[in-house]
Amino acid sequence: MKFIFITILIDVIGLGIIIPVLPKLITELTGGTITDAASYGSWLLFAYAVMQFLFSPVMGALSDQYGRRPVLLFALLGLGIDYIFQAFSPTLTLLFIGRIIAGVTGASFTTATAYIADISTPEKRAQNFGMVGAAFGIGFIIGPSIGGLCSYLGSHMGYTGSFNWSVRLPFLVAAAFSILNMTYGYFVLPESLPKENRRAVDWKRANPIGSLMNLRKYPIVSGLVVSFFLLYLASHAVQSNWAYYTIYKFNWDTLMIGLSLSVVGLLVGLVQGVLIRFTIPVLGEKNSVYLGFLLYAIGMVLFAFANQGWMMFAILVPYCLGGIGGPSIQSIISNQVPDNEQGELQGALTSLMSITSFIGPLVMNNLFSYFTGKSAPFLFPGMPFILGAVLILLAIVFAVPSLKHYHNSKK
């Protein structure tokens, strides 16, 4: 477990490094405002998510045939190439090309979660899936802090021609982390899928539609994937808007954004890496889903109405406690599927996440742009959080029949 944990951790650190500075890179390339950058940023995420939607099932199926390790190393290489494109891109066009490359190869989390399923017993899968959240948490403590620090150091380096070190240096550092991660995986990461548990690629199912349609044969899974989809769609109210919202409403700089994301990382790491090891045995997976989703919804409503910066930090506590829900629902889904289909399953789930990754930013970022723009009927930058809370409540409604079925099947 420690091998894949470190691999995910290094990957997330690279992602966290660029988050505080991406809005500045977009505004530098476009010459627009932060509101304009939010809209452009949504299209960059859209380009990445479409490619990931199309290719995640392919990568998941390939990992079922050839093993997790080679697919994971290939994904990390693609991510490193993307960061290099972003570091040196003089235009938005090259940013989009880099995002497309990363989306095509972006199977790192698909393969990592399949890897975890390979090495976990059914009873321990929720806790071990929680370690993915813990890696995210620690990565988002380290990554944004490094990103903010790199931006600060870059500001003292000034410009080399038109190359703004304050904006570009964090992307170079993120690329270095990805290459380091690939090197670590090559020399240290063992293969998790035994040859006897592998299966040939079924190309009829190695696509988003085929892999999702295959889930229909698992009654509990087919119901919960709707809730899974709604949860990740709602998460973009926070994930895609945090930098734009806090810059607009509280005038935060990259250092403060990085600090806030580090706090998010600390709380997520504690909840998913430590707390769920105690709460899930006590509450059970079903109740953990309900409680976690409810806390997420409460946190989003509170974010929407926060009127001082310190409140965002306080509200992170109930919001991040909602993290007990995600690993629980993922564990329930994973435990319904045989070992030789875990890669395909995780590819299908990643495709669902990818759908939310191109719908979510488009909806949430443009909702933010609309309610902070001149044509808005009233000024309310927190509107994406309200929509996010509504979507999570709908996720609870859709989860009820499947969780009842799951509970009865265990009796």
Side-chain angles (χ1 to χ4, degrees):
M1 187 66 195
K2 65 180 180 181
F3 297 105
I4 195 65
F5 176 81
I6 293 172
T7 300
I8 298 170
L9 174 61
I10 298 174
D11 203 8
V12 176
I13 288 172
L15 177 64
I17 286 171
I18 71 169
I19 288 177
V21 294
L22 185 58
K24 282 196 171 183
L25 177 60
I26 296 172
T27 56
E28 180 182 277
L29 293 177
T30 62
T33 64
I34 193 67
T35 298
D36 298 327
S39 183
Y40 283 116
S42 70
W43 286 106
L44 281 170
L45 288 170
F46 177 85
Y48 174 82
V50 167
M51 292 298 103
Q52 194 172 60
F53 170 70
L54 294 173
F55 285 92
S56 286
V58 176
M59 295 297 186
L62 288 173
S63 78
D64 281 339
Q65 178 170 350
Y66 297 107
R68 315 300 184 202
R69 185 174 176 273
V71 175
L72 184 58
L73 296 179
F74 180 66
L76 295 173
L77 175 62
L79 191 60
I81 292 171
D82 172 43
Y83 290 143
I84 291 171
F85 264 88
Q86 292 185 76
F88 292 101
S89 175
T91 65
L92 273 176
T93 301
L94 281 179
L95 282 187
F96 276 100
I97 292 173
R99 289 277 78 191
I100 288 169
I101 292 172
V104 170
T105 63
S108 56
F109 294 115
T110 299
T111 313
T113 48
Y115 190 110
I116 291 170
D118 292 339
I119 63 175
S120 303
T121 63
E123 296 78 17
K124 291 293 184 181
R125 274 186 182 156
Q127 290 95 321
N128 286 344
F129 281 135
M131 293 305 293
V132 177
F136 265 88
I138 297 171
F140 273 105
I141 295 171
I142 300 171
S145 299
I146 293 175
L149 179 61
C150 288
S151 180
Y152 174 76
L153 294 174
S155 67
H156 290 278
M157 297 168 68
Y159 287 77
T160 301
S162 61
F163 192 89
N164 183 353
W165 284 98
S166 176
V167 174
R168 307 292 184 142
L169 181 60
F171 292 94
L172 291 174
V173 174
F177 268 93
S178 290
I179 301 303
L180 172 66
N181 202 2
M182 186 184 70
T183 304
Y184 169 83
Y186 182 82
F187 287 105
V188 178
L189 187 69
E191 178 56 60
S192 65
L193 186 64
K195 290 186 178 181
E196 61 270 19
N197 287 342
R198 299 184 188 184
R199 64 177 182 87
V201 175
D202 182 347
W203 291 105
K204 291 181 180 179
R205 285 159 44 184
N207 61 80
I209 304 301
S211 61
L212 290 171
M213 292 294 287
N214 185 55
L215 297 180
R216 292 185 305 169
K217 65 186 180 183
Y218 306 109
I220 294 173
V221 172
S222 59
L224 290 179
V225 292
V226 178
S227 296
F228 185 87
F229 172 81
L230 291 171
L231 173 67
Y232 276 90
L233 181 61
S235 71
H236 282 278
V238 178
Q239 182 178 328
S240 299
N241 266 306
W242 187 264
Y244 303 110
Y245 180 77
T246 54
I247 289 171
Y248 179 88
K249 194 164 185 180
F250 307 113
N251 199 30
W252 284 5
D253 57 17
T254 55
L255 196 60
M256 182 59 78
I257 295 169
L259 176 62
S260 68
L261 292 174
S262 295
V263 173
V264 172
L266 175 62
L267 293 173
V268 169
L270 289 173
V271 170
Q272 298 199 10
V274 179
L275 185 62
I276 65 169
R277 296 184 177 273
F278 300 97
T279 57
I280 289 178
V282 174
L283 298 175
E285 291 174 332
K286 183 188 77 169
N287 291 331
S288 295
V289 172
Y290 287 141
L291 179 59
F293 282 25
L294 184 61
L295 287 169
Y296 272 142
I298 291 171
M300 286 196 181
V301 172
L302 294 174
F303 282 141
F305 292 99
N307 55 28
Q308 295 186 45
W310 66 265
M311 293 181 178
M312 300 297 285
F313 286 90
I315 297 165
L316 283 173
V317 175
Y319 177 77
C320 290
L321 283 171
I324 66 173
S328 299
I329 196 170
Q330 192 167 6
S331 174
I332 294 171
I333 292 172
S334 179
N335 285 336
Q336 310 306 308
V337 176
D339 292 342
N340 65 357
E341 293 185 17
Q342 288 295 327
E344 181 180 10
L345 168 65
Q346 299 305 329
L349 294 180
T350 301
S351 284
L352 280 178
M353 292 166 61
S354 300
I355 296 173
T356 71
S357 293
F358 57 78
I359 297 174
L362 287 175
V363 172
M364 300 302 183
N365 289 23
N366 285 296
L367 194 62
F368 169 81
S369 294
Y370 178 71
F371 278 94
T372 57
K374 294 180 180 179
S375 60
F378 54 91
L379 187 66
F380 187 43
M383 186 59 78
F385 296 118
I386 298 299
L387 177 58
V390 171
L391 291 172
I392 290 175
L393 292 177
L394 284 174
I396 295 174
V397 171
F398 278 102
V400 169
S402 290
L403 290 177
K404 282 184 177 178
H405 188 178
Y406 172 71
H407 179 72
N408 291 334
S409 70
K410 295 185 71 175
K411 288 183 178 179

